[in-house]
Structure formats: C-alpha cells, structure tokens
Amino acid sequence: MRRSVLKARITRSAGVALAAGVIGMGVMTTPAQAAAGSCYRDSICVWSKENFKGRYGRVEAQARHCTSSRSVGARSINNNTRFMLNMYSKTNCKGRVFSLNWGTKMKDGFPFPVKSFKTM
C-alpha cells in the first residue's frame, strides 16, 4: 500500500510540474511577441531572434552603464530610451561596436549578435 501512495504522489507531482511548465512557456512566449511594439519607456528590450522573436529580456536604462546580455546574443532590439545605445559583439562592452539612436527599433540586419550594450 505504501508503494502505491508514493507512486500516486510522484505521478501527481510530475503532472503538476509538466502543467506548470506548459503554462509558464505560454506566459513567457506571448508577452515577448507582443512586446515588440510596446517596450516600456526608458527601457531597452532585446530578443534572441530577428523580427522580435525568441527569448525576450528587458533592462531599465541607466546612463553610461554597461549591461551584458545572457549567453545568447540579441538579434532584435527596441531602444525605447532617451539615450544613444552602443552595442558590442562581446560581453563587458568589448569587441566590435555599432550604435542605435534613441527611440529606435531594429528587427534584423545586425552585423553581429549583441552580447552587451551601453547607453551614451
């Protein structure tokens, strides 16, 4: 009897974890897609793929502050700040650089995946 109770608990736990994972995936995917045109004011929004798709991240802008991206470089960016944004090919604001004007979105055409950026 003890084994059947333990088995039922494990099965129930696995089902709850699976359901939570599916719900979490839906919640994370939908806002990322919708956020392309609605990045919060004074924020920098990034996506891991072109056309504002893939993994999404958002950073509050701080003047002259270097922010390193996650391990996946950004391929789409919405610079919804009042700052010029310098984007770098390596973390810690090193490597090749190109700039994106304030209030500008860039959905493709990057010369490299962006690993870090700094507001100017």
Side-chain angles (χ1 to χ4, degrees), residues 52-107:
F52 309 109
K53 296 186 179 177
R55 292 178 58 194
Y56 167 78
R58 182 176 66 86
V59 175
E60 295 293 320
Q62 297 177 16
R64 302 189 197 294
H65 178 76
C66 179
T67 302
S68 290
S69 181
R70 54 193 171 266
S71 59
V72 177
R75 300 303 291 178
S76 302
I77 294 180
N78 183 348
N79 179 14
N80 196 14
T81 70
R82 62 186 188 277
F83 302 109
M84 175 75 75
L85 186 64
N86 282 350
M87 295 172 279
Y88 300 86
S89 61
K90 297 181 180 180
T91 58
N92 299 318
C93 295
K94 298 187 189 275
R96 294 176 24 200
V97 63
F98 74 101
S99 299
L100 187 63
N101 204 1
W102 61 274
T104 304
K105 299 176 192 174
M106 190 166 182
K107 65 179 184 172

